[in-house]
């Protein structure tokens, strides 16, 4: 029977050791790190200008949750110290699990609760800050492509579908995969397949708009979450991606091969009840693209 530390503690020890060995960044300002919620991993530096957090788009950090007030709280510096102040929010601002009134001095490692989001406050470059960032990277990103992994991408999509159910916003989903990817692996080797995945991810990143989120769903399948984007706009973006991938030079170990991808596009409909409805609609269009000759974009008529 195993009686040692559980695996998460082993991982924590390894990550903390890596954080300890990382070189400090001189003069780095205090910052906020989002450790849960739709913007997991996002960082904001606390400089001379106060950081405002709320649901309003004009806030420094805009959190689109019903539980967040339009201007919920602010974080600001005074003579080198960092303070947080609740701005009369409906559901209160929390520091280390306790609701605050007025302004409260923040200390390194304090956790801030705003609606459904949790943020950690760090002064400068502490080991704990680097450790948390490393944990978030492992939980959020696909290690090969650098895109969001399936779990985090689906979390973002769930959040956006929830917003689309509440508000009249345009939301579209692009799903794509690499044509004949198995042949690339079989004929050129798995390292070549990895390079093909990286190439497609690079194209997705280069053409992405700020309102888009990119994910690798697994294997050779990718997805693009298109916020505030109609079906026709998403289809046009998918066509740009298709052309860009098809014109990339893919060469591995002296062998040149053309890569193409098939795309399925769908948008949120009032009749949809769950995130799975949007995924299914885009997936059906992807299979239609593959069944009708590949290297094309399909969307509902």
């Amino acid at each position: 029977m195993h009686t040692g530390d559980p695996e998460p503690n082993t991982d924590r020890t390894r990550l903390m050791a890596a954080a300890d060995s990382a070189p400090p960044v001189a003069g780095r300002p205090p910052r906020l790190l989002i450790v849960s919620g739709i913007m997991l991993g996002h960082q904001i530096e606390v400089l001379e200008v106060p950081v405002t957090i709320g649901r309003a788009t004009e806030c420094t950090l805009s959190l689109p949750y019903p539980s967040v007030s339009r201007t919920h709280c602010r974080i600001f510096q005074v003579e080198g110290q960092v303070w947080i102040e609740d701005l009369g929010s409906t559901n209160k601002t929390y520091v280390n699990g306790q609701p605050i009134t007025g302004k409260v001095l923040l200390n390194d490692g304090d956790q801030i609760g705003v609606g459904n989001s949790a943020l950690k406050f760090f002064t400068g470059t502490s080991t704990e800050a680097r450790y948390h960032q490393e944990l978030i990277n492992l939980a959020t990103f696909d290690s090969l492509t650098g895109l969001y992994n399936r779990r985090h991408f689906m979390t973002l999509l769930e959040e956006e579908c929830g917003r689309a159910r509440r508000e009249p916003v345009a939301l579209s989903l692009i799903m794509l995969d690499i044509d004949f990817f198995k042949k690339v692996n079989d004929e050129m080797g798995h390292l070549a397949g990895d390079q093909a995945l990286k190439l497609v991810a690079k194209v997705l990143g280069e053409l992405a708009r700020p309102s888009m989120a990119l994910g690798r769903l697994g294997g050779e399948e990718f997805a693009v979450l298109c916020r505030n984007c109609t079906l026709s706009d998403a289809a046009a973006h998918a066509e740009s991606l298709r052309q860009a991938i098809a014109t990339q030079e893919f060469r591995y170990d002296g062998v040149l091969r053309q890569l193409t991808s098939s795309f399925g596009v769908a948008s949120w409909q009032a009749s949809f009840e769950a995130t799975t409805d949007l995924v299914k609609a885009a997936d059906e269009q992807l299979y239609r693209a593959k069944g009708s000759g590949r290297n094309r974009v399909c969307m509902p008529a």
Side-chain angles (χ1 to χ4, degrees):
M1 181 176 179
H2 178 69
T3 59
D5 288 339
E7 190 63 28
N9 285 349
T10 302
D11 288 343
R12 177 184 173 90
T13 300
R14 177 179 58 80
L15 292 172
M16 288 292 281
D20 280 330
S21 64
V25 181
R28 186 165 186 178
R31 65 195 186 282
L32 302 168
L33 174 65
I34 300 179
V35 295
S36 75
I38 192 170
M39 297 178 71
L40 177 69
H42 186 70
Q43 293 191 51
I44 298 176
E45 294 183 343
V46 182
L47 304 171
E48 287 76 15
V49 178
V51 172
T52 56
I53 302 175
R55 195 174 70 249
T57 56
E58 60 267 24
C59 289
T60 313
L61 175 59
S62 179
L63 300 173
Y65 296 108
S67 58
V68 177
S69 297
R70 286 189 56 81
T71 51
H72 199 103
C73 62
R74 72 181 186 122
I75 298 168
F76 57 96
Q77 282 200 53
V78 177
E79 296 180 350
Q81 294 183 315
V82 179
W83 299 77
I84 182 169
E85 180 181 17
D86 184 80
L87 298 177
S89 65
T90 301
N91 294 313
K92 300 188 179 301
T93 302
Y94 291 79
V95 175
N96 299 326
Q98 299 299 316
I100 66 170
T101 56
K103 65 178 184 178
V104 172
L105 181 66
L106 287 173
N107 297 303
D108 188 51
D110 280 350
Q111 181 155 312
I112 301 164
V114 179
N116 295 332
S117 292
L119 303 88
K120 292 280 283 187
F121 170 73
F122 296 112
T123 57
T125 56
S126 66
T127 295
E128 186 183 3
R130 296 195 293 272
Y131 164 67
H132 271 82
Q133 186 64 64
E134 182 69 17
L135 276 183
I136 288 171
N137 289 344
L138 289 173
T140 305
F141 298 104
D142 173 59
S143 60
L144 179 66
T145 63
L147 306 184
Y148 288 134
N149 60 27
R150 180 184 183 89
R151 180 186 178 194
H152 188 63
F153 183 87
M154 295 306 293
T155 297
L156 294 179
L157 184 60
E158 183 75 35
E159 293 278 359
E160 291 302 324
C161 288
R163 187 162 73 100
R165 281 192 293 268
R166 299 187 301 268
E167 305 171 18
V169 295
L171 176 66
S172 297
L173 177 65
I174 301 170
M175 295 182 66
L176 64 140
D177 68 19
I178 301 173
D179 297 330
F180 303 111
F181 183 70
K182 186 177 184 300
K183 290 184 67 175
V184 174
N185 276 331
D186 290 346
E187 296 175 7
M188 302 176 70
H190 288 280
L191 291 178
D194 288 350
Q195 291 303 312
L197 294 170
K198 290 179 180 179
L199 179 62
V200 170
K202 176 174 173 287
V203 172
L204 295 181
E206 288 176 345
L207 296 185
R209 303 170 191 166
S211 58
M212 294 177 173
L214 312 175
R216 181 187 175 198
L217 301 186
E220 71 274 27
E221 190 171 41
F222 299 83
V224 182
L225 189 164
C226 307
R227 302 179 181 94
N228 303 314
C229 188
T230 64
L231 179 65
S232 59
D233 286 342
H237 185 72
E239 176 60 22
S240 298
L241 293 172
R242 186 198 66 79
Q243 293 180 21
I245 292 169
T247 56
Q248 291 288 312
E249 182 179 280
F250 175 60
R251 186 186 299 273
Y252 184 80
D253 200 20
V255 177
L256 181 65
R257 187 185 191 112
Q258 184 187 28
L259 287 181
T260 63
S261 293
S262 299
F263 293 77
V265 186
S267 61
W268 180 265
Q269 304 297 314
S271 60
F272 288 172
E273 296 181 355
T275 303
T276 52
D277 294 329
L278 179 58
V279 174
K280 181 181 178 182
D283 204 36
E284 287 174 349
Q285 296 303 315
L286 172 58
Y287 274 91
R288 189 160 75 91
K290 296 182 76 67
S292 56
R294 293 182 171 83
N295 191 25
R296 63 194 60 207
V297 175
C298 284
M299 66 179 190

